[in-house]
Amino acid sequence: MKVSEVLHMNGGIGDSSYASNSLIQRKVIFMTKAIAEEAVSDVYCSMFPKTLCIADLGCSSGPNTLLVVTQTVKTVNKIRKKLCRQSSPEFQIYLNDLPGNDFNSIFRSLPRVQEELKEEIGSEFGPCFFNGVPGSFYSRLCPTSTLHFVHSSYSLMWLSQVPKGVEMNKENIYLASTSPPSVINAYYEQFQKDFSMFLKCRSEELVSGGRMVLTILGRKSEDPTSKECCYIWDLLAMALKQMVSEGLIEEEKLNSFGIPQYTPSPLELKAEVEKERSFAINLLEASEINWAACGNKLYSSDDSFKDDGYHVAKCMRSVAEPLLVRHFGESIMDKLFHKYGEILSDCMSKEETKFVNLTISMTKRE
């Protein structure tokens, strides 16, 4: 399985689409908004470029896609007014994701977004030029020394491929306490290779002094099989194992499936940046958000945990379904995610469950 051909969020606006189930990702963008604003302010005030080039990597599709870039344009405009600079820069915006992404939905929304920016900012609004850039961010995407600001949120934990040897990770679809050391090492080595390549490519594309802000699902613990990063996949594996016991999935199929993801610790992230040497770290911090933030309501009834589990299952379905469909087939998806929702509801009624986010802000060295 080539991850670049399969990995994409569910398109469209249906019940299981990413557009309808990406509230937690939106909340995380707002949680890290001040960090992105600081980086954009710094790069604008230090260079005052005539054309400010921005890239959002792993943009997906839906209500969050243009959130960061519109925030960036508004931030620059606010600073420009504060500094009494009359002319606004032009904005060159690159929206990147893998080729399977629903770019058509993004393009359809652009006229409305441009009009809203013009209305809010007024006649001084600098022209915005949008580009869709399909391709893996583990390769070059933009011309050399053109970008001023790079942003990515909830994307870089995805690997370029499933590490070799997942067949040794029996009944686990991701790292777990029962994973053999060889599998754990394979996942970590794949992360090192991929993240190093990501940094190398961005260092070639960013101008000297350019800024980059990345938010990645991660962990605080140095244990790569820690519950804080693996539990969400453990529970999906539990649902798959139930379907094996019911004869709906072959055991061999389960044993040959692996999630192409790695959730690093702060130390692992820092080590790769320092090893690659193209960037200086301005900030590296961990934050948490409850799984229940996937839901779109505040619940007060006795069914609240059931509802929360349902929403988490829908969120995970919008993210992981294309990978699962390719390996197990489409016919079992409804039943699988129904089981998963029940397991999640039971789990969330008994214990506190949180995602850990790592946010890193960097400057391209001279």
Side-chain angles (χ1 to χ4, degrees), residues 320-344:
E321 186 168 26
L323 293 169
L324 292 158
V325 166
R326 171 64 72 94
H327 194 80
F328 297 105
E330 193 170 357
S331 62
I332 66 163
M333 289 300 115
D334 287 343
K335 188 157 190 174
L336 172 62
F337 282 96
H338 178 74
K339 286 179 179 291
Y340 189 33
E342 290 180 337
I343 292 168
L344 285 163

PDB file of all heavy atoms in Angstrom, residues 320-344:
ATOM      1  N   ALA A 320      -9.516   7.962   9.266  1.00  0.00           N
ATOM      2  CA  ALA A 320      -8.882   6.659   9.013  1.00  0.00           C
ATOM      3  C   ALA A 320      -9.618   5.776   8.006  1.00  0.00           C
ATOM      4  O   ALA A 320      -9.062   4.770   7.555  1.00  0.00           O
ATOM      5  CB  ALA A 320      -8.734   5.898  10.337  1.00  0.00           C
ATOM      6  N   GLU A 321     -10.843   6.125   7.648  1.00  0.00           N
ATOM      7  CA  GLU A 321     -11.635   5.226   6.810  1.00  0.00           C
ATOM      8  C   GLU A 321     -10.974   4.873   5.478  1.00  0.00           C
ATOM      9  O   GLU A 321     -10.982   3.692   5.088  1.00  0.00           O
ATOM     10  CB  GLU A 321     -13.037   5.801   6.570  1.00  0.00           C
ATOM     11  CG  GLU A 321     -13.935   4.826   5.833  1.00  0.00           C
ATOM     12  CD  GLU A 321     -15.397   5.231   5.837  1.00  0.00           C
ATOM     13  OE1 GLU A 321     -15.694   6.442   5.952  1.00  0.00           O
ATOM     14  OE2 GLU A 321     -16.243   4.347   5.725  1.00  0.00           O
ATOM     15  N   PRO A 322     -10.378   5.826   4.739  1.00  0.00           N
ATOM     16  CA  PRO A 322      -9.765   5.433   3.465  1.00  0.00           C
ATOM     17  C   PRO A 322      -8.701   4.346   3.620  1.00  0.00           C
ATOM     18  O   PRO A 322      -8.612   3.431   2.788  1.00  0.00           O
ATOM     19  CB  PRO A 322      -9.163   6.746   2.952  1.00  0.00           C
ATOM     20  CG  PRO A 322     -10.027   7.802   3.537  1.00  0.00           C
ATOM     21  CD  PRO A 322     -10.368   7.291   4.914  1.00  0.00           C
ATOM     22  N   LEU A 323      -7.890   4.416   4.691  1.00  0.00           N
ATOM     23  CA  LEU A 323      -6.885   3.377   4.948  1.00  0.00           C
ATOM     24  C   LEU A 323      -7.540   2.035   5.238  1.00  0.00           C
ATOM     25  O   LEU A 323      -7.102   0.988   4.737  1.00  0.00           O
ATOM     26  CB  LEU A 323      -6.016   3.776   6.146  1.00  0.00           C
ATOM     27  CG  LEU A 323      -5.092   4.983   5.981  1.00  0.00           C
ATOM     28  CD1 LEU A 323      -4.518   5.385   7.332  1.00  0.00           C
ATOM     29  CD2 LEU A 323      -3.976   4.681   4.998  1.00  0.00           C
ATOM     30  N   LEU A 324      -8.587   2.056   6.043  1.00  0.00           N
ATOM     31  CA  LEU A 324      -9.276   0.824   6.439  1.00  0.00           C
ATOM     32  C   LEU A 324     -10.014   0.198   5.255  1.00  0.00           C
ATOM     33  O   LEU A 324     -10.017  -1.028   5.086  1.00  0.00           O
ATOM     34  CB  LEU A 324     -10.248   1.113   7.587  1.00  0.00           C
ATOM     35  CG  LEU A 324      -9.587   1.479   8.917  1.00  0.00           C
ATOM     36  CD1 LEU A 324     -10.556   2.251   9.813  1.00  0.00           C
ATOM     37  CD2 LEU A 324      -9.109   0.222   9.643  1.00  0.00           C
ATOM     38  N   VAL A 325     -10.642   1.036   4.439  1.00  0.00           N
ATOM     39  CA  VAL A 325     -11.378   0.530   3.271  1.00  0.00           C
ATOM     40  C   VAL A 325     -10.433  -0.172   2.306  1.00  0.00           C
ATOM     41  O   VAL A 325     -10.743  -1.252   1.786  1.00  0.00           O
ATOM     42  CB  VAL A 325     -12.127   1.678   2.561  1.00  0.00           C
ATOM     43  CG1 VAL A 325     -12.601   1.244   1.177  1.00  0.00           C
ATOM     44  CG2 VAL A 325     -13.314   2.127   3.398  1.00  0.00           C
ATOM     45  N   ARG A 326      -9.265   0.424   2.080  1.00  0.00           N
ATOM     46  CA  ARG A 326      -8.300  -0.187   1.155  1.00  0.00           C
ATOM     47  C   ARG A 326      -7.882  -1.578   1.632  1.00  0.00           C
ATOM     48  O   ARG A 326      -7.698  -2.485   0.815  1.00  0.00           O
ATOM     49  CB  ARG A 326      -7.081   0.725   1.024  1.00  0.00           C
ATOM     50  CG  ARG A 326      -5.899   0.117   0.255  1.00  0.00           C
ATOM     51  CD  ARG A 326      -6.233  -0.184  -1.207  1.00  0.00           C
ATOM     52  NE  ARG A 326      -6.356   1.004  -1.996  1.00  0.00           N
ATOM     53  CZ  ARG A 326      -5.368   1.538  -2.702  1.00  0.00           C
ATOM     54  NH1 ARG A 326      -4.169   0.976  -2.711  1.00  0.00           N
ATOM     55  NH2 ARG A 326      -5.558   2.623  -3.418  1.00  0.00           N
ATOM     56  N   HIS A 327      -7.765  -1.769   2.939  1.00  0.00           N
ATOM     57  CA  HIS A 327      -7.256  -3.040   3.460  1.00  0.00           C
ATOM     58  C   HIS A 327      -8.367  -4.057   3.752  1.00  0.00           C
ATOM     59  O   HIS A 327      -8.205  -5.242   3.461  1.00  0.00           O
ATOM     60  CB  HIS A 327      -6.463  -2.784   4.744  1.00  0.00           C
ATOM     61  CG  HIS A 327      -5.632  -3.943   5.185  1.00  0.00           C
ATOM     62  ND1 HIS A 327      -4.411  -4.241   4.628  1.00  0.00           N
ATOM     63  CD2 HIS A 327      -5.852  -4.902   6.122  1.00  0.00           C
ATOM     64  CE1 HIS A 327      -3.912  -5.332   5.208  1.00  0.00           C
ATOM     65  NE2 HIS A 327      -4.764  -5.741   6.119  1.00  0.00           N
ATOM     66  N   PHE A 328      -9.492  -3.588   4.316  1.00  0.00           N
ATOM     67  CA  PHE A 328     -10.538  -4.519   4.774  1.00  0.00           C
ATOM     68  C   PHE A 328     -11.791  -4.513   3.904  1.00  0.00           C
ATOM     69  O   PHE A 328     -12.643  -5.388   4.051  1.00  0.00           O
ATOM     70  CB  PHE A 328     -10.953  -4.182   6.214  1.00  0.00           C
ATOM     71  CG  PHE A 328      -9.845  -4.323   7.228  1.00  0.00           C
ATOM     72  CD1 PHE A 328      -9.219  -3.214   7.747  1.00  0.00           C
ATOM     73  CD2 PHE A 328      -9.425  -5.581   7.661  1.00  0.00           C
ATOM     74  CE1 PHE A 328      -8.203  -3.323   8.682  1.00  0.00           C
ATOM     75  CE2 PHE A 328      -8.409  -5.710   8.595  1.00  0.00           C
ATOM     76  CZ  PHE A 328      -7.794  -4.583   9.109  1.00  0.00           C
ATOM     77  N   GLY A 329     -11.929  -3.538   3.019  1.00  0.00           N
ATOM     78  CA  GLY A 329     -13.127  -3.442   2.200  1.00  0.00           C
ATOM     79  C   GLY A 329     -14.160  -2.524   2.831  1.00  0.00           C
ATOM     80  O   GLY A 329     -14.182  -2.314   4.044  1.00  0.00           O
ATOM     81  N   GLU A 330     -15.036  -2.003   1.992  1.00  0.00           N
ATOM     82  CA  GLU A 330     -15.994  -0.990   2.439  1.00  0.00           C
ATOM     83  C   GLU A 330     -17.178  -1.568   3.202  1.00  0.00           C
ATOM     84  O   GLU A 330     -17.786  -0.897   4.047  1.00  0.00           O
ATOM     85  CB  GLU A 330     -16.510  -0.206   1.218  1.00  0.00           C
ATOM     86  CG  GLU A 330     -17.256   1.040   1.562  1.00  0.00           C
ATOM     87  CD  GLU A 330     -17.535   1.899   0.340  1.00  0.00           C
ATOM     88  OE1 GLU A 330     -17.097   1.538  -0.766  1.00  0.00           O
ATOM     89  OE2 GLU A 330     -18.194   2.940   0.516  1.00  0.00           O
ATOM     90  N   SER A 331     -17.497  -2.829   2.958  1.00  0.00           N
ATOM     91  CA  SER A 331     -18.751  -3.394   3.473  1.00  0.00           C
ATOM     92  C   SER A 331     -18.819  -3.465   4.992  1.00  0.00           C
ATOM     93  O   SER A 331     -19.904  -3.472   5.572  1.00  0.00           O
ATOM     94  CB  SER A 331     -18.976  -4.795   2.888  1.00  0.00           C
ATOM     95  OG  SER A 331     -17.926  -5.666   3.279  1.00  0.00           O
ATOM     96  N   ILE A 332     -17.677  -3.517   5.668  1.00  0.00           N
ATOM     97  CA  ILE A 332     -17.702  -3.672   7.132  1.00  0.00           C
ATOM     98  C   ILE A 332     -17.606  -2.346   7.886  1.00  0.00           C
ATOM     99  O   ILE A 332     -17.648  -2.340   9.127  1.00  0.00           O
ATOM    100  CB  ILE A 332     -16.553  -4.588   7.617  1.00  0.00           C
ATOM    101  CG1 ILE A 332     -15.194  -3.900   7.351  1.00  0.00           C
ATOM    102  CG2 ILE A 332     -16.624  -5.964   6.977  1.00  0.00           C
ATOM    103  CD1 ILE A 332     -14.050  -4.492   8.140  1.00  0.00           C
ATOM    104  N   MET A 333     -17.486  -1.232   7.183  1.00  0.00           N
ATOM    105  CA  MET A 333     -17.178   0.035   7.853  1.00  0.00           C
ATOM    106  C   MET A 333     -18.260   0.470   8.840  1.00  0.00           C
ATOM    107  O   MET A 333     -17.960   0.899   9.951  1.00  0.00           O
ATOM    108  CB  MET A 333     -16.938   1.144   6.823  1.00  0.00           C
ATOM    109  CG  MET A 333     -15.621   0.986   6.054  1.00  0.00           C
ATOM    110  SD  MET A 333     -14.147   1.002   7.105  1.00  0.00           S
ATOM    111  CE  MET A 333     -13.541  -0.672   6.843  1.00  0.00           C
ATOM    112  N   ASP A 334     -19.524   0.381   8.450  1.00  0.00           N
ATOM    113  CA  ASP A 334     -20.593   0.827   9.362  1.00  0.00           C
ATOM    114  C   ASP A 334     -20.574   0.016  10.650  1.00  0.00           C
ATOM    115  O   ASP A 334     -20.677   0.577  11.754  1.00  0.00           O
ATOM    116  CB  ASP A 334     -21.968   0.707   8.681  1.00  0.00           C
ATOM    117  CG  ASP A 334     -22.183   1.775   7.612  1.00  0.00           C
ATOM    118  OD1 ASP A 334     -21.441   2.779   7.628  1.00  0.00           O
ATOM    119  OD2 ASP A 334     -23.083   1.598   6.779  1.00  0.00           O
ATOM    120  N   LYS A 335     -20.450  -1.284  10.519  1.00  0.00           N
ATOM    121  CA  LYS A 335     -20.444  -2.152  11.697  1.00  0.00           C
ATOM    122  C   LYS A 335     -19.194  -1.901  12.548  1.00  0.00           C
ATOM    123  O   LYS A 335     -19.258  -1.852  13.783  1.00  0.00           O
ATOM    124  CB  LYS A 335     -20.495  -3.616  11.273  1.00  0.00           C
ATOM    125  CG  LYS A 335     -20.682  -4.575  12.447  1.00  0.00           C
ATOM    126  CD  LYS A 335     -21.279  -5.886  12.005  1.00  0.00           C
ATOM    127  CE  LYS A 335     -21.665  -6.713  13.230  1.00  0.00           C
ATOM    128  NZ  LYS A 335     -22.369  -7.935  12.887  1.00  0.00           N
ATOM    129  N   LEU A 336     -18.052  -1.735  11.899  1.00  0.00           N
ATOM    130  CA  LEU A 336     -16.804  -1.500  12.624  1.00  0.00           C
ATOM    131  C   LEU A 336     -16.896  -0.238  13.468  1.00  0.00           C
ATOM    132  O   LEU A 336     -16.554  -0.256  14.666  1.00  0.00           O
ATOM    133  CB  LEU A 336     -15.643  -1.385  11.627  1.00  0.00           C
ATOM    134  CG  LEU A 336     -14.292  -0.937  12.213  1.00  0.00           C
ATOM    135  CD1 LEU A 336     -13.787  -1.925  13.248  1.00  0.00           C
ATOM    136  CD2 LEU A 336     -13.269  -0.731  11.098  1.00  0.00           C
ATOM    137  N   PHE A 337     -17.355   0.848  12.882  1.00  0.00           N
ATOM    138  CA  PHE A 337     -17.368   2.109  13.630  1.00  0.00           C
ATOM    139  C   PHE A 337     -18.522   2.174  14.638  1.00  0.00           C
ATOM    140  O   PHE A 337     -18.442   2.942  15.610  1.00  0.00           O
ATOM    141  CB  PHE A 337     -17.361   3.298  12.670  1.00  0.00           C
ATOM    142  CG  PHE A 337     -15.986   3.553  12.119  1.00  0.00           C
ATOM    143  CD1 PHE A 337     -15.604   3.045  10.883  1.00  0.00           C
ATOM    144  CD2 PHE A 337     -15.052   4.250  12.869  1.00  0.00           C
ATOM    145  CE1 PHE A 337     -14.310   3.258  10.396  1.00  0.00           C
ATOM    146  CE2 PHE A 337     -13.762   4.457  12.394  1.00  0.00           C
ATOM    147  CZ  PHE A 337     -13.396   3.964  11.154  1.00  0.00           C
ATOM    148  N   HIS A 338     -19.545   1.366  14.434  1.00  0.00           N
ATOM    149  CA  HIS A 338     -20.572   1.240  15.475  1.00  0.00           C
ATOM    150  C   HIS A 338     -19.973   0.565  16.714  1.00  0.00           C
ATOM    151  O   HIS A 338     -20.156   1.031  17.848  1.00  0.00           O
ATOM    152  CB  HIS A 338     -21.765   0.438  14.950  1.00  0.00           C
ATOM    153  CG  HIS A 338     -22.832   0.224  15.981  1.00  0.00           C
ATOM    154  ND1 HIS A 338     -23.694   1.233  16.388  1.00  0.00           N
ATOM    155  CD2 HIS A 338     -23.155  -0.874  16.719  1.00  0.00           C
ATOM    156  CE1 HIS A 338     -24.503   0.759  17.320  1.00  0.00           C
ATOM    157  NE2 HIS A 338     -24.213  -0.511  17.539  1.00  0.00           N
ATOM    158  N   LYS A 339     -19.229  -0.515  16.481  1.00  0.00           N
ATOM    159  CA  LYS A 339     -18.557  -1.202  17.592  1.00  0.00           C
ATOM    160  C   LYS A 339     -17.540  -0.273  18.265  1.00  0.00           C
ATOM    161  O   LYS A 339     -17.433  -0.212  19.493  1.00  0.00           O
ATOM    162  CB  LYS A 339     -17.826  -2.462  17.085  1.00  0.00           C
ATOM    163  CG  LYS A 339     -18.723  -3.639  16.741  1.00  0.00           C
ATOM    164  CD  LYS A 339     -17.874  -4.802  16.240  1.00  0.00           C
ATOM    165  CE  LYS A 339     -18.738  -6.003  15.913  1.00  0.00           C
ATOM    166  NZ  LYS A 339     -19.318  -6.618  17.119  1.00  0.00           N
ATOM    167  N   TYR A 340     -16.795   0.435  17.441  1.00  0.00           N
ATOM    168  CA  TYR A 340     -15.776   1.346  17.955  1.00  0.00           C
ATOM    169  C   TYR A 340     -16.414   2.423  18.839  1.00  0.00           C
ATOM    170  O   TYR A 340     -15.902   2.754  19.918  1.00  0.00           O
ATOM    171  CB  TYR A 340     -15.049   1.979  16.766  1.00  0.00           C
ATOM    172  CG  TYR A 340     -13.823   2.794  17.098  1.00  0.00           C
ATOM    173  CD1 TYR A 340     -12.976   2.477  18.157  1.00  0.00           C
ATOM    174  CD2 TYR A 340     -13.487   3.899  16.305  1.00  0.00           C
ATOM    175  CE1 TYR A 340     -11.826   3.226  18.417  1.00  0.00           C
ATOM    176  CE2 TYR A 340     -12.341   4.648  16.561  1.00  0.00           C
ATOM    177  CZ  TYR A 340     -11.525   4.315  17.613  1.00  0.00           C
ATOM    178  OH  TYR A 340     -10.395   5.056  17.873  1.00  0.00           O
ATOM    179  N   GLY A 341     -17.541   2.963  18.392  1.00  0.00           N
ATOM    180  CA  GLY A 341     -18.251   3.970  19.181  1.00  0.00           C
ATOM    181  C   GLY A 341     -18.687   3.436  20.538  1.00  0.00           C
ATOM    182  O   GLY A 341     -18.590   4.138  21.557  1.00  0.00           O
ATOM    183  N   GLU A 342     -19.161   2.196  20.568  1.00  0.00           N
ATOM    184  CA  GLU A 342     -19.573   1.580  21.835  1.00  0.00           C
ATOM    185  C   GLU A 342     -18.381   1.405  22.777  1.00  0.00           C
ATOM    186  O   GLU A 342     -18.470   1.665  23.981  1.00  0.00           O
ATOM    187  CB  GLU A 342     -20.239   0.224  21.567  1.00  0.00           C
ATOM    188  CG  GLU A 342     -21.608   0.336  20.912  1.00  0.00           C
ATOM    189  CD  GLU A 342     -22.229  -1.037  20.657  1.00  0.00           C
ATOM    190  OE1 GLU A 342     -21.458  -2.031  20.568  1.00  0.00           O
ATOM    191  OE2 GLU A 342     -23.467  -1.107  20.563  1.00  0.00           O
ATOM    192  N   ILE A 343     -17.266   0.956  22.227  1.00  0.00           N
ATOM    193  CA  ILE A 343     -16.050   0.764  23.030  1.00  0.00           C
ATOM    194  C   ILE A 343     -15.554   2.106  23.573  1.00  0.00           C
ATOM    195  O   ILE A 343     -15.183   2.232  24.746  1.00  0.00           O
ATOM    196  CB  ILE A 343     -14.955   0.071  22.187  1.00  0.00           C
ATOM    197  CG1 ILE A 343     -15.368  -1.373  21.871  1.00  0.00           C
ATOM    198  CG2 ILE A 343     -13.610   0.088  22.917  1.00  0.00           C
ATOM    199  CD1 ILE A 343     -14.496  -2.051  20.814  1.00  0.00           C
ATOM    200  N   LEU A 344     -15.557   3.121  22.713  1.00  0.00           N
ATOM    201  CA  LEU A 344     -15.128   4.452  23.137  1.00  0.00           C
ATOM    202  C   LEU A 344     -16.035   5.004  24.236  1.00  0.00           C
ATOM    203  O   LEU A 344     -15.557   5.579  25.223  1.00  0.00           O
ATOM    204  CB  LEU A 344     -15.133   5.405  21.935  1.00  0.00           C
ATOM    205  CG  LEU A 344     -13.986   5.250  20.931  1.00  0.00           C
ATOM    206  CD1 LEU A 344     -14.329   5.946  19.619  1.00  0.00           C
ATOM    207  CD2 LEU A 344     -12.692   5.820  21.496  1.00  0.00           C
TER     208      LEU A 344
END
